[in-house]
Amino acid sequence: MPLMIESSRRRARPRRLILFLILAVVLIFLGSSTILSYYVDALWFGSLGYREVFWKSWGLEWGVFAAYFVATFVILYGWFLALWQMHQPDLPHDRAIFIGRQRLSLPLRRALRILGVVVPLGIAAISGGAMASEWPTFALWRNAPSIAGGAIGVDPVFGRPLNFYLFTLPAWQLIAGWLMVLAVIACVAAAGFLLLSGGTRALAREHDSLVLPLPWRGVSIAFAFFLVMLAAEVCLSRYTTLVDAHTIFSGVSYTDAHVFITGLLIVALALLLGAGIAASNAILAARPRRLVVAVIPAIACFLVMHIIGWYVSSFIVKPNQLDRERPYIAWNIAWTRHAWDLDRVTQQEFPAETTPDAADPADNQATLKNIRLWDWRALQDTLRQIQEIRTYYDFPDIDIDRYTINGEMREVMLAARELSLDKLPDSSRNWINEKLIYTHGYGITMNPVNGFTTEGLPTLYLSNMPVESTVPGLTITRPEIYFGQLTSTDVYVSTHQQEFNYPQGQSNNLTFYQGTGGIVLGGLLRRVLIAADRGDLWKVPFSDDITAQSRLLMRRNILNRVQTLAPFLAWDADPYVVIGGDGRLYWMLDAFTTSDSYPYSTSYPLGDDSINYMRNSVKVVIDAYNGTTTFYVFDAKDPIIAAWRSIFPSLFRDAAEMPQDLRRHVRYPQLLLEEQAAVYGLYHMSDPEVFYNREDLWTVASELGLSDSGDQQTQTMEPNYVLMKLPGASSVEFVEILPFTPANRNNLIGWIAGRSDGANYGTAVVYDFPKTKLVDGPMQIEARIDQNAQLSGQLTLWNQQGSHVRRGTLLVIPCGKALLYAEPIYLQAQQSPMPELRLVVLALQDRLAYGPTFESAMAALFGGEASSLTAAAAAPGPSGTGQTSAPVATGGTAAGRSALIAGAAQDLADYQRLTAEGKLAEAGQKLEDLKRKLDQLQASGK
């Protein structure tokens, strides 16, 4: 028998050795892959000057993982050993199991010893990984700044400072949740040991004495631990009442303050009492029903609390809801306004007058010169036809900004010409082309927002390849775009292989990268390691084109780039391109700090999340050539960004350090204005009674837009960037505006403007319309356009001639004391995706006019008074903006009548000629001029 045992042991050793070797190989493979990835990431962070950020974030993440891995394993493995000690006498060595009719003997104790190590290790790894993903929460908790008093002070219910809710409470909730999971696992493990050891049968044998046998001690201890953690979670849940959403408002309600907050504390104390009762079973010989008795006090308190809450809500609050809830509504209003930075929004009255004189075109020429007639979608389609040059280029976005053109501030639209590898011909899709040759986009286009050629195409200040400028002093010194919105692949630069720069006739212009961006590949070993991580192991080390001085440009997509550097910030998904004073191209992005635990503040959706606090604290600038990425803090008062600055001091710079040539292009973020407008629609009502009754509820105005299928649909208006003179201001500024309508109505009630320039940056102003005046909204103006017989007839005619009408975005632009509505109308052939401007529709409250150009529409809207202004209001592009309608002659004298008759005859002749030439828009305008002159002749003859 000893020889047989020794022989079986010898046969088992090779199997154990093989299993050990397999496990070692798997761990080495997985570990080496992770280590290699960290090595390349460290090089990448270092190439940007943020090596300290990488190691700090790596240390925080892995520190949290290690702490919770060790703590979880120690707790669970220690609990296993305790259960083993309790149940060992009753555990059988083997357990019989049946597979079909075959009986097998399972070595129970040996299996439990293995599971006692493997299961805690697995759970510890999962727990450590889950908690490691929450490292930002623990980092903020550890580095939370003190927020003493301030504009909002401490919360009026618990007396806690703001940093408790922003930093401490989220960390406590994570820890309590982790311990609760361990408590549940402990209970499951105790129950499992009880079943395996036959504890239930032991209980049955001792039923007469009703004394718990020793194996039940484990269940009692685990259940006591569970009740303690449940008490902790119930206690913490009191603070969540400060962010609970109710029908009318958010935050603590009267019932919460007078019943549930105190009641939850009593329930927590009852759970602690139950934990003590359950724990006593581990010490005293007791009846088994004591475990059931342990939860009865908590259940009773919970039921009583809800009964009292129902009574208070039904018979005390609801009959007098406004009086009872008034202070809590006031808290919700004040804290929500502060959380969404609405304290920086000022209110002014706007008369919204209806007469042409109220628009005062003579004093608002700067606004009229910059009315955006190019819909960005129409411009994008046009540029893709006339400026892509080659099929593998694309314009992924159109940006709106302001630049000094010929000594005058103008609003312009810019588009970066990026290279799309997906558009390369299949025959060109190989590793050398994609990694070494087609490495970057090239150039940029710029056009005034209302500049059109006589063919209805954009007037371009910057265009073509190489970049051509029609504006003195406006040049691009570095047109290559290595980092952009479509640059989602790695490339290798500074190689022996020349890179494609731009097409040049029948040949191509080639170049070499001369920048400092990316990771230097270095020696052979470093190249192999980098190539292995990037999936180029079988290419890079064997390529004759790649040298030690070659560079790897990775994470070239600008959103991916900043999200990797600062994953703890929320990002605006619409970066915009900027031309620096040195002629280089830069990308500018807006970053936000957010929270969902700001007390008494109402939550609103942001992407897939719901938040109740938001600050645009950071602006990021990325060099399109080198990839240099710089973070600037624009809101030093934000406590969350203050905490991140203390964690990563080398990552952030003060806003004052941003170069002035870039600072001039900072703008109010579109995402922030959209969120603030949604909040302001309700929270501009600062009186609790008005708020309660929803007497003045606003919503963002709606407009007609195109769906993905091309059909018209009603949609919420997007913010519109405008270069204009605000009412009462002395100079123009770049603002972002958005109109409001009363809830479920189409007429306008006000508009908000986010300011971008100088000392006003980051502030907003809301202009309220008179409550007694009905001001048309975008949908009503759209209806007026559709109801205009001549205009609708012209649009119908165009839609039947192998082309279709494309209506641009309707703009609502404050001008003087009135509102000016503008909508461009394009004609697009069915066989061509390139729209061309054919009509401009302008409207005031009680007037509507249109023409083939902005100038002619202005003359038709304002009459002879505006005729001398329209030339100045036109975009001063080198190619012009089209012809201007002749001023209308007026007068009752014989000379005046003769002039009118001559003008009418000329209009008739022009109408016939233009109709024959197929220029129907111009013909329609001439017909309008003819009718106007005939009306004047009739009036002068009376």
Side-chain angles (χ1 to χ4, degrees), residues 100-433:
R101 296 183 178 181
Q102 185 175 3
R103 182 180 184 276
L104 297 177
S105 179
L106 177 68
L108 182 61
R109 291 199 174 193
R110 182 180 176 185
L112 284 177
R113 290 194 190 99
I114 296 174
L115 291 175
V117 177
V118 173
V119 172
L121 279 175
I123 295 175
I126 295 172
S127 176
M131 299 302 278
S133 66
E134 301 290 342
W135 70 266
T137 301
F138 294 105
L140 288 174
W141 179 31
R142 182 178 176 184
N143 295 272
S146 59
I147 309 174
I152 205 70
V154 298
D155 89 83
V157 172
F158 295 103
R160 296 273 191 174
L162 185 58
N163 59 348
F164 170 79
Y165 297 99
L166 292 180
F167 307 117
T168 304
L169 182 60
W172 284 8
Q173 290 172 330
L174 281 175
I175 294 172
W178 167 67
L179 289 173
M180 173 59 76
V181 171
L182 294 187
V184 172
I185 294 173
C187 289
V188 172
F193 265 92
L194 182 65
L195 292 174
L196 292 173
S197 62
T200 54
R201 292 191 298 272
L203 176 62
R205 290 194 302 270
E206 301 187 20
H207 184 269
D208 294 337
S209 62
L210 292 178
V211 176
L212 285 172
L214 185 63
W216 280 81
R217 288 185 176 178
V219 174
S220 300
I221 295 173
F223 193 60
F225 179 41
F226 172 79
L227 292 179
V228 168
M229 293 319 307
L230 187 58
E233 293 222 321
V234 169
C235 188
L236 290 178
S237 70
R238 297 181 305 145
Y239 297 108
T240 63
T241 59
L242 274 62
V243 294
D244 283 347
H246 306 286
T247 304
I248 298 174
F249 65 99
S250 296
V252 170
S253 66
Y254 180 93
T255 306
D256 291 333
H258 291 81
V259 178
F260 287 115
I261 290 177
T262 303
L264 288 172
L265 182 61
I266 294 174
V267 171
L269 293 174
L271 287 169
L272 292 177
L273 174 63
I277 296 173
S280 67
N281 280 335
I283 302 172
L284 305 174
R287 299 178 181 277
R289 65 171 62 100
R290 181 168 293 185
L291 294 177
V292 178
V293 171
V295 299
I296 291 178
I299 294 176
C301 291
F302 183 81
L303 293 175
V304 170
M305 177 187 70
H306 276 278
I307 291 172
I308 296 175
W310 170 80
Y311 175 82
V312 170
S313 176
S314 300
F315 299 103
I316 296 179
V317 175
K318 286 185 178 180
N320 310 280
Q321 190 170 25
L322 177 57
D323 291 336
R324 301 296 185 189
E325 304 286 19
R326 186 184 297 272
Y328 308 103
I329 293 175
W331 294 345
N332 174 231
I333 294 172
W335 287 70
T336 297
R337 290 180 60 89
H338 188 268
W340 291 97
D341 212 16
L342 298 184
D343 295 338
R344 302 178 69 184
V345 177
T346 59
Q347 282 185 280
Q348 296 184 23
E349 296 296 326
F350 187 80
E353 296 180 6
T354 61
T355 63
D357 291 340
D360 194 6
D363 192 46
N364 289 276
Q365 292 188 46
T367 299
L368 298 175
K369 289 179 183 179
N370 294 284
I371 291 179
R372 180 168 62 87
L373 300 180
W374 266 113
D375 184 278
W376 71 266
R377 300 171 186 85
L379 178 62
Q380 184 181 46
D381 289 342
T382 301
L383 291 177
R384 283 171 172 168
Q385 294 299 308
I386 66 174
Q387 279 293 308
E388 279 189 358
I389 313 298
R390 293 289 188 272
T391 58
Y392 38 77
Y393 285 117
D394 195 8
F395 294 96
D397 195 16
I398 304 294
D399 301 314
I400 303 172
D401 208 340
R402 68 283 198 198
Y403 285 81
T404 301
I405 305 295
N406 296 326
E408 184 180 16
M409 186 63 67
R410 294 302 308 274
E411 184 176 355
V412 298
M413 306 176 80
L414 304 98
R417 186 187 292 105
E418 297 197 45
L419 189 142
S420 176
L421 288 178
D422 294 335
K423 293 186 175 182
L424 279 177
D426 292 338
S427 59
S428 300
R429 299 296 297 272
N430 57 65
W431 188 85
I432 293 178
N433 278 341

Side-chain angles (χ1 to χ4, degrees), residues 37-100:
S37 177
Y38 279 122
Y39 170 71
V40 176
D41 280 348
L43 294 177
W44 182 74
F45 273 81
S47 70
L48 292 170
Y50 297 130
R51 182 174 285 106
E52 179 267 342
V53 174
F54 171 79
W55 289 113
K56 186 69 173 288
S57 58
W58 183 89
L60 288 170
E61 184 176 5
W62 281 98
V64 172
F65 175 86
Y68 283 93
F69 176 86
V70 171
T72 302
F73 179 76
V74 169
I75 292 173
L76 293 183
Y77 186 67
W79 180 236
F80 168 79
L81 293 179
L83 291 175
W84 180 270
Q85 188 68 29
M86 295 177 194
H87 292 270
Q88 186 178 13
D90 296 320
L91 283 174
H93 287 274
D94 299 296
R95 172 78 70 176
I97 61 174
F98 290 89
I99 300 179

Side-chain angles (χ1 to χ4, degrees), residues 200 224 320 397 462 608 688 692 783 793 806 936:
T200 54
N320 310 280
D397 195 16
L462 296 175
D608 296 331
Y692 175 82
R806 180 167 174 174
Q936 290 171 355

Side-chain angles (χ1 to χ4, degrees), residues 847 849-850 855-868 870 884-891 896 899-904 907 925-937:
R847 300 188 67 177
Y850 63 93
E855 298 90 329
S856 61
M858 280 284 293
L861 184 67
F862 290 101
E865 178 186 355
S867 62
S868 62
T870 53
T884 302
S885 296
V888 178
T890 59
L900 285 172
I901 293 171
D907 286 339
Q925 183 60 44
K926 289 298 179 182
L927 186 60
E928 284 292 316
D929 293 342
L930 174 60
K931 290 180 60 179
R932 190 180 302 110
K933 290 181 177 66
L934 293 176
D935 290 340
Q936 290 171 355
L937 280 170

